[in-house]
């Protein structure tokens, strides 16, 4: 016998999956491209040891999901955009995972969304808020998007509040 889930839970899962898929798509654009290595010694433009301090730019990234929090009614459509922001020449693949909870922790979902690569285009996705179960006037879906790449881990909190 197939197990049935409440519509709110289904909506929460869909929201989380859409967020993760958008992040994964952005990261997969640069799959397999290795970071640039140092030039051979004596190559024009190669720094020479002079004793002067050299400022090193850190290769890292950040992520944003907009809106980070929104309130909607059942049946309304919400548009989210996930963006990976490379900094200091960062070009490593980024692995995206999502973890969501709803209904006071009764529901928990963890998903691996895959890996995305440069040029990390913004990903836009739409989610339709599900109907709420009887006697429930408000439900909140909390999700954490985790991006890992090049030795860096970044997280972004996302919240969807559904009200009758």
């Amino acid at each position: 016998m197939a197990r049935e889930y409440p519509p709110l839970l289904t909506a929460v899962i869909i929201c989380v999956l859409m967020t993760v898929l958008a992040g994964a798509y952005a990261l997969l654009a640069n799959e397999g491209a290795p970071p640039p290595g140092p030039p051979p010694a004596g190559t024009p433009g190669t720094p020479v040891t002079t004793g002067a301090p050299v400022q090193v730019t850190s290769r890292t990234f950040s992520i944003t999901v907009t809106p980070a929090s929104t309130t909607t009614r059942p049946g309304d459509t919400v548009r989210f955009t996930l963006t990976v922001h490379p900094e200091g020449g960062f070009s490593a693949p980024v692995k995206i995972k999502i973890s969501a909870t709803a209904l006071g922790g009764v529901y928990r979902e963890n998903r691996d969304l895959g890996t995305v690569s440069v040029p990390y285009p913004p990903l836009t996705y739409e989610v339709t808020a599900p109907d709420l179960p009887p006697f429930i006037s408000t439900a909140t879906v909390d999700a954490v998007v985790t991006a890992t790449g090049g030795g860096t881990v970044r997280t972004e909190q996302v919240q969807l509040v559904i009200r009758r």
Side-chain angles (χ1 to χ4, degrees), residues 57-63 84-91 120 154:
T57 303
S58 176
R59 293 183 182 177
T60 189
F61 69 95
S62 61
I63 61 170
V84 174
H85 307 279
E87 300 166 7
F90 181 86
S91 63
Y120 311 117
R154 299 286 185 245

Side-chain angles (χ1 to χ4, degrees), residues 66-120:
T66 54
S69 179
T70 189
T71 301
T72 190
R73 295 182 355 199
D76 287 351
T77 300
V78 179
R79 178 176 288 170
F80 291 94
T81 301
L82 181 130
T83 307
V84 174
H85 307 279
E87 300 166 7
F90 181 86
S91 63
V94 179
K95 185 173 186 172
I96 305 292
K97 292 184 178 186
I98 191 161
S99 175
T101 60
L103 303 171
V106 172
Y107 170 77
R108 294 184 185 277
E109 178 85 21
N110 294 303
R111 295 277 177 158
D112 182 353
L113 299 178
T115 303
V116 296
S117 301
V118 292
Y120 311 117

Side-chain angles (χ1 to χ4, degrees), residues 4-164:
E4 292 187 31
Y5 293 96
L8 176 60
L9 178 59
T10 302
V12 170
I13 292 171
I14 290 171
C15 290
V16 170
L17 289 175
M18 293 302 294
T19 301
V20 173
L21 289 174
Y25 176 79
L27 294 178
L28 289 174
N30 192 26
E31 181 81 19
T43 302
T46 303
V48 176
T49 305
T50 62
V54 176
Q55 185 173 4
V56 177
T57 303
S58 176
R59 293 183 182 177
T60 189
F61 69 95
S62 61
I63 61 170
T64 56
V65 178
T66 54
S69 179
T70 189
T71 301
T72 190
R73 295 182 355 199
D76 287 351
T77 300
V78 179
R79 178 176 288 170
F80 291 94
T81 301
L82 181 130
T83 307
V84 174
H85 307 279
E87 300 166 7
F90 181 86
S91 63
V94 179
K95 185 173 186 172
I96 305 292
K97 292 184 178 186
I98 191 161
S99 175
T101 60
L103 303 171
V106 172
Y107 170 77
R108 294 184 185 277
E109 178 85 21
N110 294 303
R111 295 277 177 158
D112 182 353
L113 299 178
T115 303
V116 296
S117 301
V118 292
Y120 311 117
L123 300 174
T124 301
Y125 55 96
E126 294 181 348
V127 176
T128 301
D131 197 11
L132 296 173
F135 307 111
I136 302 289
S137 61
T138 302
T140 302
V141 178
D142 293 305
V144 176
V145 177
T146 303
T148 307
T152 302
V153 177
R154 299 286 185 245
T155 61
E156 182 77 12
Q157 305 277 337
V158 179
Q159 186 177 70
L160 177 64
V161 178
I162 303 168
R163 289 195 179 134
R164 286 192 196 274

